[in-house]
Amino acid sequence: MNRLCKGWAVLSVVVASVFGAMSASAADAPKPDINRGQTIATTICAACHGVNGNSPTAAFPKLAGQPQEYLVKQLKDFKAEAGKSVPARQNPVMAGIVTSLSDQDMVNVSAYFATQTPTPGVARAAATVSLGQRIYRGGVADKGVPACAACHGPAGQGVPIQYPRVSGQWADYLVAQLNAFQQGSRNNSEPMRQIASRLSDQEVKAVADYMAGLH
């Protein structure tokens, strides 16, 4: 079995386990109140992420059009689980914000952002577009890296619960997240931790830039 097949085998087991747990959790989740979610978005989130979830700079991710269940999970991951001192996603700003949000608040604001229309992005590094496209569409076989499109979709729209929308996301933000998976400061996706650890800096930047312009 070659490295790519081995990588797929490991990732498939991890993803299946995560998906099962998250699906069960989603089934029990409270129903969203989008109006209340909008209030939270405009009073708490807008300064960084924009009123409609389209952040003004790459320092903050675009949240518009992201799957509701995915956003809820990310918000919860900024809180340390019982018995743990470090959350799965380490971010001092977000850690402070989520302490004031109830589970219902998280569902409400996530539902609001999920209904918003994301603004398109653009690939800016012409010299690496072909490399980024190859990684996104076909992976890196000799490193056991599967195609990004297999999980995030051909157009980067993502999959509810499991995978975020990457189409149009800020390239610099995507680079930062891949680096965070490599360094361990973001530890809430075993598949992404494994994938990011196998990519070079050049490959990270190339595929991030390609995803920014994907639509």
Side-chain angles (χ1 to χ4, degrees):
M1 184 181 289
N2 62 32
R3 293 186 65 184
L4 182 57
C5 291
K6 288 181 180 178
W8 267 115
V10 172
L11 294 178
S12 295
V13 171
V14 173
V15 169
S17 175
V18 172
F19 178 68
M22 293 179 67
S23 296
S25 177
D28 298 330
K31 293 183 178 180
D33 184 326
I34 293 179
N35 289 331
R36 290 186 179 180
Q38 183 176 18
T39 299
I40 296 170
T42 55
T43 57
I44 298 177
C45 312
C48 296
H49 298 286
V51 173
N52 62 358
N54 287 294
S55 59
T57 73
F60 310 106
K62 296 179 183 179
L63 304 181
Q66 288 287 4
Q68 173 193 328
E69 300 90 344
Y70 176 80
L71 290 177
V72 170
K73 181 182 184 300
Q74 300 312 301
L75 287 170
K76 290 183 176 180
D77 286 347
F78 285 116
K79 287 185 176 181
E81 296 179 10
K84 295 183 179 181
S85 59
V86 179
R89 289 193 69 173
Q90 298 174 43
N91 183 296
V93 174
M94 287 304 304
I97 290 173
V98 295
T99 57
S100 66
L101 299 179
S102 67
D103 286 352
Q104 182 66 61
D105 289 334
M106 293 182 185
V107 170
N108 293 343
V109 73
S110 296
Y112 168 73
F113 281 130
T115 65
Q116 303 305 297
T117 302
T119 56
V122 60
R124 300 183 183 278
T128 64
V129 167
S130 60
L131 173 59
Q133 182 179 40
R134 287 199 303 273
I135 296 170
Y136 191 86
R137 302 292 180 190
V140 186
D142 62 351
K143 294 184 177 181
V145 174
C148 309
C151 294
H152 295 282
Q157 302 299 306
V159 177
I161 302 178
Q162 284 183 286
Y163 309 115
R165 177 190 182 97
V166 293
S167 169
Q169 187 59 268
W170 295 106
D172 286 349
Y173 176 78
L174 293 171
V175 168
Q177 296 313 298
L178 288 168
N179 288 339
F181 280 121
Q182 290 176 331
Q183 298 160 6
S185 58
R186 180 170 178 177
N187 195 29
N188 65 341
S189 171
E190 181 59 19
M192 283 307 307
R193 188 193 67 77
Q194 292 190 35
I195 289 168
S197 69
R198 298 170 186 167
L199 295 174
S200 68
D201 288 347
Q202 181 187 28
E203 289 167 336
V204 164
K205 291 176 182 177
V207 75
D209 186 66
Y210 178 76
M211 289 189 288
L214 190 60
H215 55 79

